């Protein structure tokens, strides 16, 4: 059993490294410019969909706008540091959910737990949730493969991000206590 877990961990890490390396990212690792990717469908300036300044009350804040399908990381000074695509929860749940509506909780929350590249869903078939950042009763910001990070609200309630964006946020921005604001759906 121990060998199977080790093998699964190696396969998972290799797969995530492959996915993270597939996109040609133009973003610097320090977060000093908006997220942009070259040569694929993510070559969009997601920062243009969000306010450049947000009253953060002097605390680092993540803003999720399910209408713009975007997330933004704001410094304690309220300036937008980095932004990217976000797939939030949907009005209709995927078939394996035990509820009808899967909207991501709306309001102001705080990150309560942080995971690494091996983070998985305990509720939905051990689905991969690399670099998870829990903020609302099991809902999390987390990385997902590019094919399911789309401009639509179709998740079980979590906020899907591109894996390189989730890794950046997890290790260079978020910490337990970081504020998360999810705007209302329209």
């Amino acid at each position: 059993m121990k060998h199977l877990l080790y093998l699964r961990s190696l396969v998972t890490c290799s797969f995530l490294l492959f996915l993270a390396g597939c996109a040609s990212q133009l973003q610097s690792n320090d977060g000093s410019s908006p997220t942009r990717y070259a040569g694929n469908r993510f070559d969009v300036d997601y920062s243009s969909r969000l306010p450049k300044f947000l009253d953060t009350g002097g605390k680092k804040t993540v803003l999720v706008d399910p209408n713009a399908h975007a997330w933004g990381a704001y410094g304690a000074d309220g300036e937008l540091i980095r932004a990217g695509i976000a797939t939030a929860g949907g009005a209709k749940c995927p078939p394996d959910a035990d509820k009808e509506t899967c909207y991501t909780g709306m309001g102001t929350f705080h990150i309560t737990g942080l995971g690494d590249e091996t983070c998985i869903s305990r509720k939905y078939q051990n689905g991969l949730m690399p670099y998870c950042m829990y903020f609302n009763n099991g809902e999390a910001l987390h990385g997902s493969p590019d094919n399911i990070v789309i401009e639509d609200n179709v998740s079980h309630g979590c906020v899907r991000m591109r894996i390189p964006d989730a890794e950046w946020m997890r290790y260079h921005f978020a910490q337990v206590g970081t504020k998360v604001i999810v705007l209302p759906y329209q």
Side-chain angles (χ1 to χ4, degrees):
M1 181 68 166
K2 185 187 251 185
H3 296 288
L4 288 175
L5 290 174
Y6 176 74
L7 182 59
R8 180 177 181 227
S9 177
L10 282 177
V11 169
T12 300
C13 289
S14 297
F15 178 70
L16 292 174
L17 289 171
F18 168 75
L19 287 174
C22 288
S24 173
Q25 189 177 8
L26 299 177
Q27 166 67 37
S28 65
N29 282 338
D30 67 0
S32 62
S33 60
T35 303
R36 291 193 58 118
Y37 298 88
N40 62 37
R41 68 184 173 95
F42 299 107
D43 190 19
V44 174
D45 180 6
Y46 288 95
S47 67
S48 68
R49 300 179 183 191
L50 300 171
K52 300 296 178 223
F53 179 84
L54 184 70
D55 182 1
T56 63
K59 299 181 184 232
K60 291 194 297 186
T61 301
V62 177
L63 178 68
V64 176
D65 186 339
N67 307 299
H69 308 294
W71 62 266
Y74 292 82
D77 63 359
E79 293 290 324
L80 180 61
I81 297 171
R82 186 167 169 162
I85 186 171
T87 301
K92 184 173 172 146
C93 289
D96 62 341
D98 58 358
K99 53 188 179 178
E100 288 185 35
T101 301
C102 282
Y103 283 130
T104 303
M106 295 163 270
T108 301
F109 308 94
H110 293 88
I111 291 178
T112 58
L114 301 166
D116 60 18
E117 70 277 0
T118 64
C119 193
I120 59 171
S121 170
R122 292 185 200 108
K123 188 170 183 179
Y124 296 108
Q125 304 165 353
N126 293 324
L128 289 175
M129 298 174 33
Y131 310 108
C132 60
M133 296 158 274
Y134 291 99
F135 66 89
N136 180 34
N137 298 321
E139 292 179 346
L141 302 158
H142 65 77
S144 289
D146 284 351
N147 65 322
I148 63 171
V149 180
I150 60 174
E151 290 195 18
D152 200 357
N153 297 318
V154 295
S155 81
H156 291 91
C158 284
V159 177
R160 298 177 189 161
M161 306 166 64
R162 297 194 70 229
I163 291 171
D165 290 339
E167 181 181 22
W168 172 84
M169 185 178 289
R170 164 61 181 90
Y171 290 114
H172 300 284
F173 186 79
Q175 51 194 293
V176 171
T178 298
K179 190 181 343 180
V180 176
I181 299 171
V182 180
L183 297 178
Y185 290 73
Q186 293 179 352

